Amino acid sequence: MNQNMTEKRRMLMDINVLDFTTTELREYLDTHPNDTDAISYFHRYNNMLHQVTKEYTAKFGPIRQDMPGNCMDEWKWATSPMPWEGGAC
Amino acid sequence: MWSYEKRLQYPVNITTPNAKLAEVIISQYGGPDGEMGASMRYLSQRYGVPYPEIAAVLTDIGTEELAHLEMVAAIVHQLTKNLSMEEIENSGFKAYYVDHTIGIWPQAAGGIPFNACEFQSKGDLITDLFEDMAAEQKARTTYDNILRMIKDPEVCDPIRFLRQREIVHFQRFGEALRLLQEKLDSKNFYICNPEFDSNCGCNCK
Amino acid sequence: MQRPQRPFMNDMMGNFPIAMAYVPMQQAPVLYENLEEAFNRGTIFPELDKPFMGRRGRR
């Protein structure tokens, strides 16, 4: 159980960090649209983010509306706790 | 259009209730320099903008401010959800409690409800970008004021994050203004309004 | 990061008429190596990292 919590926390931190990095790069690129280095950094981190989010969703339930997961017996998007009540936070 | 991600941009895990802090931090939810004003300001200003990169800056920062709005609400919620009646009655929070219990309602710390007078969308790109740079500085100062009052690291942490974001956003709005300046006539930047006048800007519609 | 090509972005050569304000463009920025530390600080760009240290004290 503890192992699971640690893994969940670790994956969530990775998602937080990767999403934050892509957000910062996106806002930088909006005013520097020709910085090709920044564009490749963006794609690298965005691909990693997508991958970790898929893995997190499969193990712990959905956090994105466009990645509901494969669970067929429960609509976890609705039944999992909100992020300020012990959910993805 | 918008999607929602069921995750806070930065974690909020506050274990100790504090009515006095909740009473002031609510200003960053619905106060004059708070995140609701910030998001509504930037998202509203987008519509007449003739340059897509500048509309992109307004969209992306406005969207991030919605995530910050959610964080501030989470902070106030966690600071108040386990307050005892005595703690409520003995604090300045009791006036808010009587009208909202511990629900989240957008107002300033002093009680003024959130309203659109707290931001401007002037329909002139130079003016709106200066409004936005000022807004980021006002938000930063509000977070500075809050940080002086906090000793609990669980509260400091997300507040420091939110404050740092304001500095980055200030830089981006300043850069958007530079992009705009390049498109206008530097002999007279004010000769016309690029959002309204047809004889305006190098790449006008 | 690649140095941007457009001449106006080189602020050393910039022309700044009065009656206007100008924020320098961030140029060829460096990222924090440790992105988790960057996240905790609130920016991936060390040159934008400006913490608050104010104290009221005695005046």
Side-chain angles (χ1 to χ4, degrees), chain B residues 18-195:
Chain B
N18 189 323
K20 272 172 50 176
L21 277 184
E23 199 190 333
V24 297
I25 290 175
I26 197 133
S27 246
Q28 282 306 89
Y29 191 75
D33 306 316
E35 308 288 359
M36 186 169 286
S39 50
M40 292 303 104
R41 180 191 290 105
Y42 309 145
L43 296 174
S44 300
Q45 285 176 358
R46 296 176 307 151
Y47 295 96
V49 173
Y51 308 113
E53 323 89 298
I54 298 181
V57 174
L58 290 164
T59 300
D60 292 339
I61 296 181
T63 301
E64 190 184 345
E65 302 295 13
L66 291 173
H68 295 172
L69 184 66
E70 187 183 41
M71 275 178 65
V72 175
I75 291 170
V76 174
H77 171 70
Q78 291 184 5
L79 285 170
T80 55
K81 70 177 186 175
N82 291 321
L83 287 173
S84 65
M85 270 319 297
E86 292 82 282
E87 284 169 320
I88 293 172
E89 285 173 309
N90 294 331
S91 75
F93 188 72
K94 66 175 184 271
Y96 178 94
Y97 151 84
V98 116
D99 288 327
H100 310 291
T101 330
I102 53 169
I104 299 296
W105 190 74
Q107 63 161 59
I112 297 173
F114 178 74
N115 62 88
C117 299
E118 289 172 350
F119 66 87
Q120 176 59 291
S121 174
K122 196 77 179 175
D124 177 308
L125 245 188
I126 294 177
T127 308
D128 280 345
L129 288 171
F130 277 102
E131 158 88 9
D132 301 342
M133 290 193 290
E136 295 294 348
Q137 293 292 354
K138 288 185 289 184
R140 176 193 56 79
T141 299
T142 313
Y143 284 123
D144 289 350
N145 292 344
I146 291 171
L147 280 173
R148 278 193 206 88
M149 301 176 68
I150 304 177
K151 296 178 177 44
D152 180 352
E154 288 176 342
V155 187
C156 256
D157 225 24
I159 295 288
R160 262 200 284 264
F161 174 86
L162 291 168
R163 175 191 169 279
Q164 177 60 49
R165 300 307 301 144
E166 312 300 6
I167 293 169
V168 177
H169 292 167
F170 170 83
Q171 176 62 28
R172 299 300 169 226
F173 285 125
E175 289 170 346
L177 179 63
R178 293 295 301 280
L179 295 181
L180 176 61
Q181 286 156 357
E182 196 196 39
K183 297 176 198 298
L184 299 176
D185 181 356
S186 62
K187 290 191 290 300
N188 181 0
F189 290 119
Y190 309 114
I191 203 163
C192 56
N193 177 351
E195 291 193 51

Side-chain angles (χ1 to χ4, degrees), chain A residues 43-66:
Chain A
H43 285 300
R44 183 202 308 178
Y45 292 119
N46 197 46
N47 291 337
M48 288 167 67
L49 171 63
H50 195 83
Q51 190 53 42
V52 182
T53 307
K54 264 173 63 176
E55 289 167 17
Y56 180 95
T57 300
K59 283 200 155 98
F60 303 111
I63 52 174
R64 293 177 59 104
Q65 287 170 316
D66 59 351

Side-chain angles (χ1 to χ4, degrees), chain A residues 12 15-16 19-20 23-24 26-28 30-32 63-65 77 80-85 88-89, chain B residues 3-8 11-12 53 56-57 60 64 70 74 77-78 81 161 165 168-169 172 175-176:
Chain A
L12 198 54
I15 291 172
N16 285 343
D19 180 76
F20 178 70
T23 297
E24 278 269 74
R26 180 182 302 111
E27 289 172 4
Y28 170 84
D30 287 346
T31 53
H32 299 75
I63 52 174
R64 293 177 59 104
Q65 287 170 316
W77 173 260
S80 59
M82 295 304 283
W84 52 87
E85 294 287 13
C89 187
Chain B
S3 300
Y4 179 68
E5 206 176 318
K6 202 166 172 178
R7 172 179 72 82
L8 296 183
V12 176
E53 323 89 298
V57 174
D60 292 339
E64 190 184 345
E70 187 183 41
H77 171 70
Q78 291 184 5
K81 70 177 186 175
F161 174 86
R165 300 307 301 144
V168 177
H169 292 167
R172 299 300 169 226
E175 289 170 346

